[in-house]
Amino acid sequence: MALLAVFQAAFLLALLPFRTYQSEVLSQPLPLTPESLEVSINSTQQCLYLQWRVHNLTNHQELKMVFQIEISRIETSNVIWVENYSTPVTWNQVLHWSWESKLPLECVTHFVRIRSRVDDANIPELRFWSNWSSWEEVDAQKSLGQDPLVVFPIDKLVEEGSNVTICYVSRSPESNISCAMEGVPIHGERLSPNVSAFILNNVRFIRETGTNIYCVSPSNMSGTILFVSKVLEEPKDFSCETQDLKSLNCTWDPGHDTALQYHPSQRYMLFDSFSGKTKLCEHKKCCYWQVASDSQETYNLTLIAENQLRRRSVSIFFNLTHRVHPRKPFDVFLKNISATNATVTWKVHPVGNYSTLLCQVALHGEGKVIQDNVSVKVKGRYFLSELEPVTEYVTRVRCAASNHFWKWSEWTGKTFTTLEAAPSEAPDVWRNVKAVLGSHIVTLFWRPLSKSHAHGKILFYNVVIENLDNPSSVKRLSIPAPANSTELTLDQYSYQIHVTANNSVGTSPASIIVISRDPGNKNVEEGRIHGTEDGFSLSWKPQSGDVVGYVVDWSPQGPHCQLQWKNLGPNTTSTVIRSDAFRPGIRYNFRIYEISTERIAYLLQKKTGYSQELAPSENPQVAVSNLTSHSFTLSWKDYSTDSQPSFIQGYHVYLKPKLEQCHPGFEKVALSDDSVCCQYKIDNPEQKTFVVENLQPESFYEFLVTPYTSVGEGPHDTFTKVTIPDEYSHVLIRIILPMSFCLVLLMVLCYLTSQWMKEKCYPDIPDPYKSSVLSLIKYKENHHPTIMNVNDCVPDAIEVVNKLEGSKLQFLGARKSLTEMEFTKPAYLYLLPTENYPGPGPCICFENFTYNQAASDSGSCGHVPVPLKTPPSQLALLTSPENLLKSLEQNYVNSSGESPAGETSLNYVSQLASPTSGDKDSLPTNPPGPALCSEYRTQMAVSLGLASPSPSENSNLSLVTLLDQGEHRR
């Protein structure tokens, strides 16, 4: 035992120094410096990612530590960021931390270092900072490639309203590089000879395809796209409900869509905190949630919205049975539709174990809405009553949960029209009576029934006219709609008129009007009334106490204006007539009637007036008469005062004298154009003549007549000028006019006398070119009948006149006398027809002195033919056409000289159809000559120098007319 004790004491003595050393080691702080620091770059998010470890931690030991991280830019001394990161640390744990750079990491070089300390109250001796780690350099420019000019960041995504920093990196130092955003220049800060940075504050959304930013150098250009997204909003109006207790339909308002090109829109998720289930929603505004079969009734749903930049959420808590929104009813039908009633039926969808729904029935029609609630299980039914005939109605049905009301379902409706019914009210009828030649012209008017009273389409109106003096005399008229008036001619009896309206179902009650033998239109003076903005105010005194009502009718001034009327009760003695048809400047005539118990109308008052008077727009057309040297008369009798836009109170006569001095009765006034004239006022509107007196002769005046009213006078149109004649001019006119008339009459008489004398003494020589004989002569050849040729006619006789001096008939060329005998009187030779001549015997001839002045001097032709005893040889000689032509030729040769005295000439010879041809020189009563010719041939004058071919032997002889040598061819 002693040995054991000694051995134990020696062992303890040996351990004592070791324990002392261990206590000294443990009493010193353990080095907990971060190690294995690694830094990486995420260019898309412009972030630095750090990861490290902390050694010297024992197993299962967990310490709360704080790490301080420093970030420098360009140089290690340029620290731009310091942050303390606290986190629990265990043995061999890899720690992570990230930092987002405002300046694109590709622009400059960054440096990172880290240190730590224990942040645990149980180990106060370790609460001091460790040494810094070495600087870790981060240079993203090493991966840029060989592009001479680059702009960063590349396709960065930011929210609207953010501040963004961009930069450009140039491979060679250049100072003349300019940058712009959407064409607007931007200015920045130079970080190094090759790098410049630009800060864009509060960037705005421009388009989904991004915002363009570019930089330009003299030799290169580069750019980038900045995607600016709308800010993700928190969902609004988040709500969930069920239609069948089997599924939930959640809806919300998503707000702005944050989708951009190459960047998707926000997405939504539903999360139930009670069941822990999550569902990704397929739509942006709604999401369906399947109700669990375990009959879960309480839900706490969270709607989460997130995109690449932000995350938002909203939650609701509810009981499923309190969010029942039934589906709309179906199979809605209308039954038993009549004029006033109908029945509506429908069905509803079941909602879980709910057996009863509350349904609302609404009826829309004629501007009214009627609603009622009905409890329904499966089928619903409702009776609609008190409907209007021939009216279109819309009935609608919707339902909701009866126990816990949440929302009404959607409406389901049907449209229907009720049937027609007989009109329920009599037409409103009035009349206008005129007495014409012992009869009454009655014009009936009626207003169309309103839709609520017509109860259908009015097809026609029945008018029954009953003679009260002879009840068996009834006349019926049927007037098709839509006529609203008719005219009747009634004799001097009393009549009762019934008017009814008819549709396809029946007849309305009758309106009754009595036309008395005495129409009651006694002489009532017409008064004036002035309208206001409210209308025309009328009042009257009852004439008798036994009346059933009053009627006021009115119409505009004019022959064909529509009559309007208003029915009033028996106790009414005043009314205001209002109408949108009243127009300023239009005169309206009002009549007030009282209706007796016998339905007879008696006229009480007549009024006329304007709703608003206007100044006259036209002046009367004035005529000037009785113009003298001192006065003239103005008249405008055709001017109608009733058709004017206001009541005419009188007239103003304006006169502008030459010396601007007003006559008695006139007063000097100034017109609107500042001219001065004289005015005379006529106070009587019916006086339409005025005599202007005391005028100066041989002067002129200007006048104008305008009507005046209470609201003004007519326009000051152009004045009319009147010239005053001389004082004695009218006397001269009275003398000169008769003398002029007598002179003209004398000239007319002289002219007529000269024409008579010319016709009797020296009538006009007929124009051979206009002779009608051309249409009667039978030509040898068929040529156009222009003028008679010598060879075309066979002469009947030639008159040889022997002048007193012993004139001889000479043949042309031979200059020898035909006979040696001298005649003291005109000798008449007859050319008898040849043997082949088929006509009658020789004709009686007479001399026309108009063609031979020499013959007229020797005395008139006695129309005595040569006796038939004349030797035939001589007659044959004379009748030979060849001899005649020769004689004519010889006479033509000598036509250039004067005929010697005593020389024979040829005279014009006419042919008569009978002795009673009408000439003034008729033949002797018993002529000794041959038989008369049967026709009269028109005369034709032929020039002496005309050459004609020789007629044939069988040709008929025609008349040849020879003119004196001194005559010219006409």
Side-chain angles (χ1 to χ4, degrees):
M1 288 294 294
L3 180 61
L4 181 60
V6 172
F7 180 75
Q8 185 177 5
F11 180 74
L12 291 175
L13 291 172
L15 288 178
L16 180 61
F18 178 75
R19 287 180 179 270
T20 301
Y21 173 78
Q22 185 179 15
S23 298
E24 292 178 357
V25 172
L26 291 177
S27 62
Q28 295 178 357
L30 296 176
L32 298 178
T33 302
E35 298 178 357
S36 305
L37 176 62
E38 297 180 3
V39 182
S40 60
I41 297 175
N42 187 335
S43 297
T44 303
Q45 299 181 356
Q46 290 296 314
C47 291
L48 292 178
Y49 287 97
L50 280 68
Q51 68 176 19
W52 66 92
R53 298 174 184 272
V54 178
H55 297 286
N56 301 328
L57 289 178
T58 60
N59 293 337
H60 309 294
Q61 184 181 11
E62 180 178 299
L63 294 176
K64 185 177 182 181
M65 299 186 65
V66 177
F67 299 93
Q68 189 175 67
I69 304 170
E70 283 188 354
I71 300 177
S72 298
R73 180 174 292 165
I74 302 176
E75 297 178 354
T76 56
S77 61
N78 184 22
V79 176
I80 61 171
W81 188 267
V82 176
E83 182 178 337
N84 294 333
Y85 171 60
S86 298
T87 183
V89 181
T90 60
W91 178 80
N92 206 27
Q93 178 185 358
V94 178
L95 301 176
H96 298 274
W97 181 82
S98 62
W99 173 75
E100 182 179 0
S101 175
K102 300 299 181 182
L103 179 68
L105 298 175
E106 295 85 354
C107 295
V108 293
T109 303
H110 290 77
F111 302 90
V112 180
R113 68 177 180 175
I114 188 173
R115 65 179 178 175
S116 63
R117 67 180 178 87
V118 176
D119 190 16
D120 193 342
N122 296 326
I123 311 178
E125 62 276 9
L126 296 179
R127 298 182 65 179
F128 59 91
W129 289 108
S130 69
N131 296 326
W132 286 102
S133 66
S134 59
W135 287 100
E136 291 291 332
E137 181 181 352
V138 181
D139 187 4
Q141 294 185 358
K142 297 179 179 179
S143 59
L144 294 182
Q146 300 301 321
D147 294 334
L149 181 64
V150 185
V151 179
F152 296 102
I154 298 175
D155 300 340
K156 183 177 180 61
L157 175 65
V158 296
E159 280 187 337
E160 186 178 26
S162 302
N163 299 330
V164 181
T165 302
I166 65 171
C167 72
Y168 69 82
V169 178
S170 175
R171 291 300 180 182
S172 60
E174 294 186 14
S175 59
N176 53 353
I177 298 177
S178 60
C179 298
M181 181 178 69
E182 292 293 330
V184 179
I186 54 178
H187 305 281
E189 176 186 1
R190 181 176 291 273
L191 301 180
S192 67
N194 297 347
V195 178
S196 290
F198 305 87
I199 299 177
L200 306 177
N201 296 317
N202 194 20
V203 293
R204 294 298 175 188
F205 172 83
I206 297 180
R207 65 180 74 88
E208 292 183 357
T209 55
T211 302
N212 297 319
I213 301 173
Y214 56 90
C215 295
V216 179
S217 68
S219 58
N220 296 287
M221 183 178 71
S222 179
T224 184
I225 298 177
L226 182 65
F227 291 95
V228 181
S229 168
K230 292 286 187 180
V231 178
L232 179 64
E233 299 179 58
E234 182 179 285
K236 302 179 182 63
D237 302 328
F238 178 45
S239 175
C240 296
E241 60 189 20
T242 180
Q243 291 183 330
D244 52 9
L245 298 179
K246 296 180 180 179
S247 63
L248 281 171
N249 181 25
C250 297
T251 59
W252 61 90
D253 179 9
H256 296 298
D257 189 0
T258 62
L260 296 173
Q261 189 178 26
Y262 310 120
H263 298 280
S265 177
Q266 67 268 30
R267 63 176 184 173
Y268 295 89
M269 292 182 296
L270 281 178
F271 171 73
D272 179 27
S273 61
F274 292 153
S275 64
K277 296 181 179 179
T278 302
K279 181 180 181 180
L280 181 63
C281 299
E282 299 178 357
H283 305 283
K284 296 179 181 179
K285 297 182 179 181
C286 62
C287 193
Y288 292 94
W289 183 277
Q290 191 68 31
V291 175
S293 59
D294 56 0
S295 300
Q296 177 185 346
E297 292 187 356
T298 304
Y299 288 85
N300 186 11
L301 290 179
T302 300
L303 177 64
I304 302 171
E306 63 178 1
N307 61 8
Q308 294 177 309
L309 301 175
R310 192 181 293 273
R311 178 187 178 100
R312 295 186 183 274
S313 63
V314 62
S315 300
I316 56 171
F317 177 83
F318 61 92
N319 188 298
L320 182 63
T321 58
H322 296 178
R323 296 292 183 99
V324 177
H325 185 195
R327 286 180 285 179
K328 63 181 181 180
F330 62 100
D331 289 346
V332 178
F333 295 102
L334 274 301
K335 301 179 180 179
N336 304 325
I337 300 175
S338 66
T340 57
N341 302 315
T343 300
V344 58
T345 62
W346 69 92
K347 296 179 181 180
V348 297
H349 296 276
V351 180
N353 296 327
Y354 279 80
S355 58
T356 303
L357 293 177
L358 179 66
C359 293
Q360 186 178 72
V361 180
L363 183 66
H364 301 260
E366 293 296 311
K368 300 179 181 178
V369 179
I370 302 174
Q371 293 183 348
D372 200 0
N373 296 332
V374 181
S375 295
V376 176
K377 291 185 178 181
V378 178
K379 296 181 179 180
R381 180 185 182 91
Y382 189 79
F383 180 70
L384 304 173
S385 60
E386 300 180 358
L387 305 180
E388 295 291 334
V390 197
T391 303
E392 184 179 88
Y393 289 95
V394 177
T395 180
R396 302 193 300 171
V397 181
R398 63 181 180 178
C399 299
S402 58
N403 295 334
H404 302 282
F405 179 84
W406 167 245
K407 285 182 180 179
W408 289 107
S409 68
E410 296 181 6
W411 287 103
T412 300
K414 282 284 186 178
T415 301
F416 69 97
T417 303
T418 53
L419 303 181
E420 288 190 3
S424 61
E425 188 172 304
D428 184 7
V429 180
W430 187 235
R431 91 292 180 275
N432 186 37
V433 181
K434 294 180 180 179
V436 179
L437 298 178
S439 62
H440 294 158
I441 304 298
V442 180
T443 304
L444 290 178
F445 301 92
W446 57 84
R447 292 191 178 103
L449 293 176
S450 63
K451 186 177 181 181
S452 60
H453 295 144
H455 294 171
K457 182 180 180 180
I458 299 301
L459 302 178
F460 58 92
Y461 296 90
N462 279 333
V463 179
V464 179
I465 308 165
E466 180 182 356
N467 191 331
L468 296 180
D469 299 327
N470 184 13
S472 62
S473 176
V474 178
K475 183 179 180 181
R476 301 179 184 273
L477 299 176
S478 181
I479 302 173
N484 60 357
S485 65
T486 187
E487 188 173 279
L488 308 174
T489 302
L490 306 178
D491 51 20
Q492 294 290 341
Y493 292 98
S494 296
Y495 288 88
Q496 181 172 278
I497 302 175
H498 301 253
V499 181
T500 57
N502 298 262
N503 61 13
S504 61
V505 176
T507 303
S508 71
S511 289
I512 300 175
I513 285 183
V514 175
I515 307 299
S516 176
R517 181 183 295 106
D518 179 11
N521 294 334
K522 57 186 177 180
N523 294 328
V524 178
E525 293 185 1
E526 185 178 67
R528 290 187 176 181
I529 185 174
H530 297 280
T532 62
E533 295 181 356
D534 296 329
F536 291 90
S537 179
L538 300 172
S539 62
W540 59 91
K541 293 181 180 181
Q543 298 296 325
S544 61
D546 194 11
V547 296
V548 296
Y550 297 92
V551 174
V552 179
D553 68 12
W554 68 91
S555 65
Q557 184 78 23
H560 305 290
C561 295
Q562 184 67 31
L563 185 69
Q564 301 293 329
W565 68 94
K566 181 179 181 180
N567 298 310
L568 301 169
N571 299 323
T572 305
T573 59
S574 64
T575 186
V576 177
I577 304 300
R578 299 180 178 90
S579 176
D580 294 336
F582 289 149
R583 295 289 181 268
I586 303 298
R587 180 181 292 191
Y588 295 92
N589 299 321
F590 297 85
R591 295 179 297 183
I592 303 173
Y593 293 87
E594 68 174 8
I595 310 301
S596 68
T597 54
E598 293 83 12
R599 309 297 300 176
I600 300 176
Y602 295 97
L603 180 63
L604 297 181
Q605 290 184 14
K606 291 195 299 184
K607 299 287 186 180
T608 183
Y610 299 85
S611 61
Q612 180 183 350
E613 290 189 75
L614 301 177
S617 59
E618 295 180 354
N619 293 326
Q621 298 292 330
V622 181
V624 180
S625 61
N626 301 330
L627 181 61
T628 67
S629 59
H630 295 284
S631 66
F632 59 86
T633 301
L634 304 178
S635 62
W636 53 96
K637 296 181 180 180
D638 296 335
Y639 187 70
S640 175
T641 58
D642 295 337
S643 61
Q644 301 308 314
S646 57
F647 291 116
I648 301 299
Q649 297 180 351
Y651 303 92
H652 286 156
V653 179
Y654 292 97
L655 189 67
K656 287 184 178 181
K658 184 177 181 181
L659 301 177
E660 296 186 358
Q661 294 181 356
C662 295
H663 297 79
F666 287 82
E667 62 178 0
K668 186 174 294 186
V669 295
L671 300 180
S672 58
D673 58 354
D674 297 333
S675 61
V676 178
C677 66
C678 301
Q679 181 195 74
Y680 185 88
K681 186 176 182 181
I682 300 176
D683 295 329
N684 183 10
E686 300 302 324
Q687 178 183 341
K688 298 182 181 180
T689 59
F690 180 72
V691 179
V692 183
E693 298 176 328
N694 302 321
L695 304 179
Q696 295 294 329
E698 298 185 17
S699 61
F700 69 90
Y701 294 85
E702 295 180 86
F703 72 88
L704 174 68
V705 178
T706 63
Y708 70 88
T709 65
S710 61
V711 294
E713 63 178 346
H716 290 169
D717 293 334
T718 304
F719 280 67
T720 303
K721 293 184 178 181
V722 175
T723 301
I724 305 303
D726 188 9
E727 188 173 3
Y728 304 101
S729 60
H730 63 284
V731 178
L732 296 176
I733 291 175
R734 292 178 183 177
I735 297 174
I736 293 174
L737 285 180
M739 293 180 62
S740 300
F741 177 76
C742 294
L743 182 61
V744 172
L745 181 61
L746 182 60
M747 293 174 64
V748 172
L749 291 176
C750 293
Y751 176 75
L752 294 177
T753 303
S754 64
Q755 291 296 321
W756 178 80
M757 294 178 63
K758 179 180 179 181
E759 181 180 356
K760 296 299 182 182
C761 299
Y762 44 94
D764 292 336
I765 300 174
D767 189 352
Y769 289 94
K770 300 180 180 179
S771 176
S772 60
V773 73
L774 300 177
S775 62
L776 302 175
I777 295 177
K778 299 178 181 179
Y779 297 96
K780 298 176 182 179
E781 298 179 358
N782 187 15
H783 64 280
H784 190 272
T786 56
I787 189 169
M788 283 173 35
N789 295 324
V790 175
N791 294 336
D792 292 337
C793 302
V794 178
D796 292 334
I798 296 179
E799 177 188 12
V800 179
V801 180
N802 188 8
K803 298 184 179 179
L804 296 178
E805 293 79 6
S807 300
K808 298 180 179 181
L809 179 63
Q810 299 290 337
F811 284 94
L812 300 176
R815 304 297 293 177
K816 294 180 179 180
S817 61
L818 180 62
T819 175
E820 299 298 333
M821 296 176 61
E822 295 184 358
F823 300 93
T824 58
K825 293 183 179 179
Y828 292 87
L829 297 179
Y830 286 85
L831 298 179
L832 300 179
T834 60
E835 296 178 355
N836 297 329
Y837 183 73
C843 298
I844 298 174
C845 66
F846 66 91
E847 181 179 11
N848 190 333
F849 295 101
T850 305
Y851 285 80
N852 194 337
Q853 186 64 33
S856 63
D857 295 337
S858 62
S860 61
C861 178
H863 302 276
V864 179
V866 177
L868 295 177
K869 296 180 181 181
T870 306
S873 60
Q874 186 180 2
L875 295 176
L877 176 63
L878 293 175
T879 58
S880 174
E882 291 80 359
N883 295 334
L884 175 62
L885 292 176
K886 291 178 181 181
S887 176
L888 294 175
E889 292 173 358
Q890 292 173 1
N891 196 14
Y892 178 76
V893 172
N894 299 329
S895 63
S896 59
E898 299 292 336
S899 298
E903 203 174 32
T904 303
S905 63
L906 297 179
N907 291 332
Y908 182 87
V909 179
S910 298
Q911 305 175 53
L912 291 177
S914 66
T916 60
S917 60
D919 290 345
K920 61 184 178 179
D921 298 329
S922 60
L923 295 173
T925 305
N926 298 315
L932 301 177
C933 296
S934 61
E935 62 180 357
Y936 172 79
R937 298 186 179 182
T938 310
Q939 306 164 18
M940 179 64 69
V942 181
S943 173
L944 294 176
L946 181 62
S948 301
S950 300
S952 62
E953 293 180 357
N954 298 327
S955 300
N956 297 333
L957 295 176
S958 301
L959 175 64
V960 177
T961 303
L962 301 177
L963 303 178
D964 288 348
Q965 296 179 2
E967 294 286 333
H968 296 283
R969 185 178 62 177
R970 292 174 60 90

